[in-house]
């Protein structure tokens, strides 16, 4: 039986070949695209289960392709690739709606493990509406929407997953390792500050109109969502 279809979009042929071979050895079916335009066409035609996407490409770059996919309503898990040290590229990709990032050079086994984790975390269908509130924060877990008072928060899929986990565990301190496992599905060591990056995004969006902070840092431990 063929494994989940992964679309690899990168203008570097050597990276495309190595990733395709490595992902297929890890149980995926993999197809490749040489640039953002070809990646968009493959994404539309083949509906992959996940996408591995280089940020820095000529023409339609990885950030723009991510933005277009999200604007079209796609919630496919996206893992972006960036050169080590290119922080601005990673930030732009995550803000456009990517779910995770890996810095080059990388091990294909780690990319495969992250993709398996992202696919395990895809939200199930929820037949019964589940609405929860913490102060002026209200989350509709069925519709995957959130508000501060009457202002709706425009969240990416991964930002929503993180907020939902923090609300579900309101008043409990969650370590970065726990959040990586519960939100990203990582049950292995990952050298990344992705939790801190996404907490920063959530804070900016949830406090954009001057609302009091709900997500607090517990120094040396992790994060907690609680009333001020």
């Amino acid at each position: 039986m063929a494994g989940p279809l992964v679309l690899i979009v990168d203008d570097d042929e050597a990276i495309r070949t190595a990733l395709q071979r490595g992902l297929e050895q890890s149980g995926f079916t993999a197809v490749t695209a040489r640039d953002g335009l070809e990646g968009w066409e493959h994404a539309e035609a083949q509906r992959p289960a996940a996408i591995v996407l280089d940020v820095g490409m000529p023409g339609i770059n990885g950030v723009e392709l991510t933005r277009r996919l999200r604007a079209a309503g796609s919630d496919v898990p996206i893992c972006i690739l960036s050169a080590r040290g290119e922080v601005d590229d990673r930030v732009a990709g995550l803000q456009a709606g990517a779910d995770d990032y890996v810095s080059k050079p990388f091990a294909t086994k780690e990319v495969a493990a992250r993709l398996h984790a992202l696919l395990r975390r895809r939200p199930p269908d929820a037949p019964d509406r589940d609405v929860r509130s913490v102060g002026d924060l209200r989350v509709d877990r069925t519709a995957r929407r959130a508000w501060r008072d009457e202002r709706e928060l425009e969240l990416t899929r991964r930002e929503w997953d993180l907020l939902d986990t923090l609300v579900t565990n309101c008043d409990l301190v969650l370590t970065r390792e726990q959040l990586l496992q519960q939100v990203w599905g990582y049950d292995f060591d990952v050298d990344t500050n992705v939790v801190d990056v996404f907490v920063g995004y959530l804070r900016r969006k949830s406090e954009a109109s001057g609302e009091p902070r709900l997500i607090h840092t517990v120094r040396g431990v992790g994060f907690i969502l609680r009333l001020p």
Side-chain angles (χ1 to χ4, degrees), residues 180-200:
L180 280 171
Q181 182 174 9
Q182 294 183 40
V183 177
W184 281 265
Y186 296 158
D187 52 5
F188 50 90
D189 291 335
V190 178
D191 181 17
T192 176
N193 66 339
V194 69
V195 173
D196 298 75
V197 170
F198 274 83
V199 165

Side-chain angles (χ1 to χ4, degrees), residues 151-166:
R151 180 175 67 86
E152 183 166 3
L153 309 183
E154 297 296 330
L155 304 178
T156 66
R157 188 168 67 92
R158 195 59 61 197
E159 289 166 354
W160 161 262
D161 289 340
L162 177 58
L163 179 62
D164 180 49
T165 300
L166 290 167

